[in-house]
Amino acid sequence: MVPKWLVIAKNEYNLRLSGIRSIRPYFPYIVIGLLAVYVAFIAPAIVSAFIDELLAFFLSQVAVAMIQILMFLLFIYILILPITYTLRDVQTGQLEIFLAAPIKPSDVLLGEFLGVVPFYAIAVAVVAGFFTAVLNPLGLGLVQIAIIIMVFVLIFFSALWIGSLIAALLRTKFGKASRGKDIGRALSVILVLPLIALMYAIMSGGVLEALANPGTSGIVKTLLSLVPSSWGAEVIISFASNPGDIAAVGVETLIRFGGQITFLVVVLWLGTKVANRAYSLEPITFTASRAKPDGVFYKSIKYLLGGKSSSSLLVSVCKDYGRRLENLSWLVYVVGLVVMLNIFFGDPSSDLEDTLFSLSLMMSPFLATFVVGTGTTREKANLFIFKKAPSGMGKFVKARLLQGLIVVVPIAAAVTVIFTIVLPQITLISLLTNTILVSLRATAFVIFVLGFVLLIPSFSEKSRDRTLHAVINLQITIFTSIGLTIILPILGLDFRKILPNLDLFMGFLYNHLLQTAIISLVGIMLISLGKRKLRRIE
Amino acid sequence: MGNNLLKALIRTESLSKYYGKGGEIKAVDELNLEVYEGETFGLLGPNGAGKTTTVRLLNCIIKPTNGTAIVNDLDILKDETEVKRITGLLAESPGLYEKLSAQEFLEFMGALYDVPPKILHGRIEDLLKLFSLYDRRDHLLEGYSRGMKQKILIAAAIIHDPPILFLDEPTSMLDPRAALMVKDLIKTLADKAGKTIFICSHILPIVEELCDRIGIISQGRLIALGTIAEIIAQTGTKTLEDAFIAITGGVQEKELLAWREQKAVGS
């Protein structure tokens, strides 16, 4: 009999390759071949371009802490990937198949883990290949290279096993109710933010600067020394310092490498022990979510719209949006991203124009895309409710547009106020001007994105599909935004040249308003076309 | 049917499943019933009555709060793996691997239940032909209609040829032709292959047609048990539908249009 974990592993592997079924049998050979080319030729070629800098870095004071951080990042990335993948679309349907079959939960866990190993291994092979290519010129021995590769393999297996286990536990916890699934999707968005922050910190050079300080470096080393990925990092650094002489660091290597192996064995054992909890259909809670009576916000909307049926419609659409944690998590994500970009890459000497430019160009499309773009055409069934109603499509578009504006514009305005107020020598007038201009641009993007989404809708309840659709929307929106700033001056539509006597900022302001107007007009056109398209959808 | 002579293949002993703080929600409460070998038994009940929970308990998918059940002399608390091996389950809302083809999914299910590969391939072919899906065996399940998916799930439930079959709403998503085929299959499995079949449904004609005996469950408690004729007689009604309503409660005719009268008062 084939072991059950192997049956499940094979199934997981096949599922992931279902998109390329025709070449599935050749997939391992293609990947191994490509990786061999990468390790033998591409990685050494890339490394040779920066070899002096890289070697100097590996032998520098900051190397230990920096490699520890990089290995920790790798560990966390591998750990978090199966978690976010699972949380994005929590599915417990298949759980019933496993639980009804004569299989131990530990076999299911092992099978699911091994089924995805080949795919994550590709990424690890790329990273390990790069490291060995860097260290090879130092004259490392074969045993040292083999141990370095093993270090990566151990980090990879430990992280992926822990990640798979946590993913299974979270799936069981969140997967049984819609509310839980929503929490899962929201978490999958938010979880990525700290990693992005760390990555931005490294990219901006802030981390390297901080590590140059022995005090900071020492704290980082001490803190990270508790994490098994750091034991591997220490092995790599000790080999880099003693190339070809494994005996010089034999005991330390034995302890650190042994520590990594012990850690893996312990987490494997613990995983099999808690697997029963990870695969269960026992309900976690029986508390159903209840709607609260309308608060001031919804009452105000109804009042402002005269209490007509359109106000009820808008309130319903807003409630449906606001009660999904996934939607709110995207707002947190976008605002977090803007704040981080400002912290890590912001120019302290930036002026009003720079702030206006970056907020209009970057934040507004992000907000509009993730608010309007991800939820508007969530389910075809919802759309059919509107299609059935008299003048339903018009009501649908109006409600979605207003809902988008209600969410996007105040957030865009608030972020602009915060970012503008910290600028030196800011006046109330310029603060107001900046806020109004960004709000107008945000409005234009809401119209544009709504039009685009109506024209090319993505009907899917799957978070993954909707995120992909939103990312495509975002690219188009940003491309349009940047494209206009480039194309309009080429077409001679640059107020700084049309009206040369104009103050530089006023010229920028007029250009900004012109772009906003064009985006809005295109958006209105798209909405009109999109409405027609949706009317035809069957 | 002479029940005294037949072996009880499924026997629940005060089987209970409670949820919530202090177990205030009684999904299944002190369930005592016997299902005999070769019998087709129907468990009826309104939505949320505890039918699916009962099936999950009997298939060792969840654990009882109190009591136990014996399935073919195996205790669901002690012999979990063996119970699973001898039962087949068509769940109410099971998850399919949509990125697998019908052939691949059935191969996977067969391997989970240790069906020897020599038998498995022929059986998959036969089942796919039986369900008229052989020509689409290589299509991904994501492209199947709900009825076609239901057929694949029924095939998966019987792929290891278990002596006991649990079918939770087996015909709910099928068109009349497919439903007829499934009904015939169930009858044949019971009559010719001697399978013991446990059906959960609230589609009364299906139960009437297929089941030797039925149990009616409401709010977790078994409130009626016997042949259809016995239950109709017990309630003094003429049809199973009337008996079901009499036992579980229904809406009075005058209530059906009360909402209109209220509107008239308001306006």
Side-chain angles (χ1 to χ4, degrees):
Chain A
M1 288 291 164
V2 182
K4 295 289 165 58
W5 54 263
L6 190 59
V7 172
I8 294 164
K10 196 178 152 203
N11 185 52
E12 282 295 320
Y13 175 83
N14 285 341
L15 280 172
R16 296 237 170 356
L17 291 182
S18 68
I20 49 165
R21 285 203 302 163
S22 53
I23 59 159
R24 192 156 60 194
Y26 317 108
F27 179 77
Y29 306 108
I30 295 169
V31 169
I32 290 168
L34 288 174
L35 282 176
V37 170
Y38 168 79
V39 170
F41 304 107
I42 299 173
I46 296 170
V47 165
S48 65
F50 313 98
I51 191 68
D52 293 336
E53 292 85 348
L54 286 169
L55 289 180
F57 164 74
F58 267 95
L59 300 171
S60 70
Q61 283 297 317
V62 298
V64 179
M66 194 63 196
I67 298 291
Q68 278 186 354
I69 291 174
L70 289 176
M71 297 293 263
F72 177 67
L73 258 181
L74 180 71
F75 182 80
I76 295 294
Y77 264 120
I78 297 170
L79 188 147
I80 222 162
L81 271 172
I83 299 174
T84 50
Y85 184 85
T86 303
L87 287 178
R88 234 174 258 165
D89 281 307
V90 184
Q91 307 245 351
T92 52
Q94 289 96 359
L95 214 54
E96 198 153 11
I97 291 174
F98 289 134
L99 293 174
I103 316 166
K104 284 185 286 180
S106 53
D107 280 345
V108 182
L109 180 65
L110 185 61
E112 288 189 338
F113 163 73
L114 291 174
V116 297
V117 157
F119 307 102
Y120 292 103
I122 295 169
V124 173
V126 170
V127 178
F130 179 79
F131 266 82
T132 44
V134 172
L135 295 171
N136 209 24
L138 287 172
L140 295 187
L142 267 179
V143 178
Q144 285 181 320
I145 289 175
I147 290 176
I148 288 175
I149 291 168
M150 281 304 294
V151 161
F152 278 101
V153 170
L154 288 170
I155 289 175
F156 161 65
F157 270 107
S158 312
L160 189 59
W161 176 258
I162 297 170
S164 303
L165 180 64
I166 295 172
L169 285 165
L170 291 175
R171 181 175 55 192
T172 292
K173 185 160 179 58
F174 292 135
K176 289 161 201 152
S178 297
R179 183 72 177 162
K181 287 179 185 173
D182 186 32
I183 293 171
R185 287 184 198 133
L187 273 177
S188 76
V189 176
I190 302 290
L191 269 175
V192 188
L193 272 179
L195 290 179
I196 294 176
L198 194 53
M199 214 172 66
Y200 280 0
I202 293 171
M203 283 162 68
S204 69
V207 171
L208 267 180
E209 265 176 42
L211 291 179
N213 179 335
T216 315
S217 182
I219 293 168
V220 171
K221 273 193 275 186
T222 311
L223 283 175
L224 288 181
S225 64
L226 302 170
V227 188
S229 58
S230 295
W231 310 334
E234 284 162 2
V235 170
I236 294 172
I237 292 295
S238 66
F239 285 174
S241 309
N242 300 277
D245 185 11
I246 196 164
V249 285
V251 179
E252 293 98 309
T253 305
L254 204 66
I255 293 169
R256 289 161 184 160
F257 192 60
Q260 272 196 295
I261 294 172
T262 311
F263 180 78
L264 175 62
V265 172
V266 170
V267 292
L268 281 172
W269 179 77
L270 279 175
T272 58
K273 293 289 151 197
V274 295
N276 277 330
R277 283 189 188 181
Y279 297 93
S280 154
L281 275 178
E282 299 280 357
I284 302 288
T285 172
F286 249 81
T287 319
S289 303
R290 283 189 182 190
K292 289 177 187 162
D294 287 356
V296 180
F297 178 67
Y298 291 131
K299 279 181 183 166
S300 307
I301 291 178
K302 279 187 179 172
Y303 177 77
L304 288 171
L305 293 176
K308 292 179 191 162
S309 59
S310 57
S311 65
S312 297
L313 196 61
L314 177 61
V315 165
S316 303
V317 169
C318 287
K319 281 177 181 170
D320 184 53
Y321 175 85
R323 285 178 187 160
R324 289 178 196 267
L325 286 174
E326 185 194 4
N327 292 336
L328 304 182
S329 73
W330 278 117
L331 287 180
V332 174
Y333 179 83
V334 172
V335 174
L337 216 59
V338 171
V339 170
M340 283 192 294
L341 281 168
N342 199 53
I343 290 172
F344 294 115
F345 301 104
D347 181 3
S349 62
S350 63
D351 57 12
L352 200 63
E353 199 175 306
D354 294 335
T355 313
L356 180 61
F357 186 72
S358 65
L359 291 177
S360 297
L361 217 63
M362 299 302 294
M363 182 186 69
S364 304
F366 263 87
L367 271 175
T369 306
F370 284 107
V371 173
V372 183
T374 53
T376 300
T377 52
R378 201 181 186 95
E379 271 186 272
K380 230 178 208 175
N382 285 357
L383 192 68
F384 287 144
I385 293 174
F386 285 96
K387 283 188 79 158
K388 168 70 184 70
S391 314
M393 285 319 299
K395 288 174 185 168
F396 170 74
V397 172
K398 208 188 294 175
R400 280 293 177 191
L401 180 63
L402 286 172
Q403 176 255 320
L405 294 175
I406 286 171
V407 178
V408 172
V409 176
I411 293 175
V415 174
T416 310
V417 168
I418 293 165
F419 279 17
T420 314
I421 216 159
V422 294
L423 295 175
Q425 295 171 333
I426 194 76
T427 63
L428 184 63
I429 297 293
S430 51
L431 176 68
L432 280 173
T433 314
N434 225 13
T435 309
I436 290 168
L437 286 175
V438 174
S439 302
L440 284 174
R441 182 58 70 91
T443 305
F445 276 124
V446 168
I447 298 169
F448 181 86
V449 173
L450 180 64
F452 195 77
V453 168
L454 296 179
L455 197 62
I456 308 172
S458 158
F459 296 108
S460 178
E461 257 302 289
K462 286 186 178 173
S463 178
R464 213 168 294 141
D465 296 346
R466 277 184 286 112
T467 307
L468 180 69
H469 189 246
V471 169
I472 294 168
N473 282 348
L474 181 66
Q475 303 298 331
I476 292 166
T477 315
I478 289 181
F479 184 75
T480 309
S481 181
I482 295 171
L484 278 177
T485 58
I486 297 168
I487 290 170
L488 290 181
I490 295 172
L491 296 174
L493 288 168
D494 185 351
F495 282 99
R496 283 175 291 195
K497 286 180 182 159
I498 297 169
L499 304 167
N501 295 333
L502 210 61
D503 170 71
L504 207 65
F505 181 73
M506 288 308 284
F508 178 80
L509 192 145
Y510 286 161
N511 283 344
H512 189 279
L513 285 173
L514 177 67
Q515 289 163 19
T516 304
I518 292 172
I519 294 167
S520 304
L521 284 173
V522 174
I524 290 166
M525 217 169 66
L526 290 175
I527 286 178
S528 169
L529 292 171
K531 260 165 74 175
R532 275 191 213 172
K533 161 108 185 240
L534 287 192
R535 280 198 190 103
R536 285 201 301 270
I537 283 182
E538 289 174 357
Chain B
M1 199 177 284
N3 293 346
N4 294 335
L5 302 172
L6 290 171
K7 180 189 174 189
L9 215 57
I10 301 169
R11 192 176 69 247
T12 66
E13 298 169 357
S14 300
L15 190 68
S16 307
K17 183 67 182 177
Y18 305 145
Y19 295 117
K21 283 176 191 167
E24 78 266 30
I25 298 161
K26 294 178 166 51
V28 175
D29 193 20
E30 300 276 329
L31 182 70
N32 290 295
L33 64 81
E34 288 184 338
V35 178
Y36 302 104
E37 190 168 18
E39 182 180 34
T40 301
F41 180 84
L43 190 62
L44 269 77
N47 291 330
K51 302 187 295 288
T52 298
T53 306
T54 304
V55 167
R56 284 184 171 175
L57 285 167
L58 292 173
N59 280 274
C60 309
I61 290 173
I62 54 176
K63 290 195 180 343
T65 313
N66 292 317
T68 188
I70 308 297
V71 179
N72 201 14
D73 297 329
L74 299 164
D75 191 326
I76 59 163
L77 293 174
K78 295 175 193 154
D79 310 302
E80 208 175 289
T81 307
E82 286 312 306
V83 170
K84 289 175 176 180
R85 207 180 290 283
I86 58 156
T87 57
L89 170 66
L90 168 71
E92 188 188 17
S93 50
L96 270 170
Y97 283 101
E98 303 234 320
K99 293 286 178 190
L100 293 184
S101 67
Q103 172 94 24
E104 288 170 340
F105 180 67
L106 292 176
E107 277 173 10
F108 171 63
M109 291 302 290
L112 283 186
Y113 283 88
D114 297 318
V115 181
K118 278 182 190 173
I119 299 173
L120 183 61
H121 292 288
R123 190 172 288 170
I124 290 171
E125 197 177 312
D126 292 343
L127 283 169
L128 288 171
K129 282 178 181 165
L130 177 68
F131 286 104
S132 310
L133 290 170
Y134 187 71
D135 292 340
R136 300 191 63 159
R137 65 190 180 281
D138 290 329
H139 291 210
L140 293 191
L141 293 174
E142 65 187 5
Y144 276 37
S145 68
R146 289 170 77 177
M148 287 156 80
K149 285 178 184 170
Q150 182 80 341
K151 286 180 184 178
I152 289 297
L153 286 163
I154 294 170
I158 58 178
I159 192 84
H160 58 298
D161 196 18
I164 304 169
L165 261 173
F166 291 89
L167 305 172
D168 201 348
E169 302 292 357
T171 58
S172 61
M173 293 178 193
L174 300 178
D175 61 54
R177 192 162 151 258
L180 184 68
M181 192 274 283
V182 169
K183 279 190 284 182
D184 288 344
L185 176 69
I186 294 170
K187 276 182 203 163
T188 314
L189 283 169
D191 297 342
K192 304 273 167 60
K195 305 286 180 196
T196 304
I197 301 173
F198 190 109
I199 298 174
C200 285
S201 185
H202 45 222
I203 303 173
L204 300 180
I206 299 281
V207 177
E208 266 183 306
E209 190 176 340
L210 295 174
C211 298
D212 302 315
R213 285 189 313 134
I214 60 166
I216 297 177
I217 189 171
S218 181
Q219 295 180 335
R221 291 194 77 89
L222 189 70
I223 49 177
L225 182 66
T227 63
I228 292 166
E230 284 168 356
I231 286 177
I232 290 172
Q234 277 167 26
T235 51
T237 52
K238 288 179 181 170
T239 63
L240 180 60
E241 188 177 13
D242 290 341
F244 183 78
I245 298 297
I247 291 168
T248 59
V251 180
Q252 297 290 315
E253 195 176 323
K254 64 178 181 183
E255 293 174 57
L256 293 173
L257 289 176
W259 58 277
R260 290 189 79 229
E261 289 160 21
Q262 282 164 5
K263 187 184 171 191
V265 169
S267 63

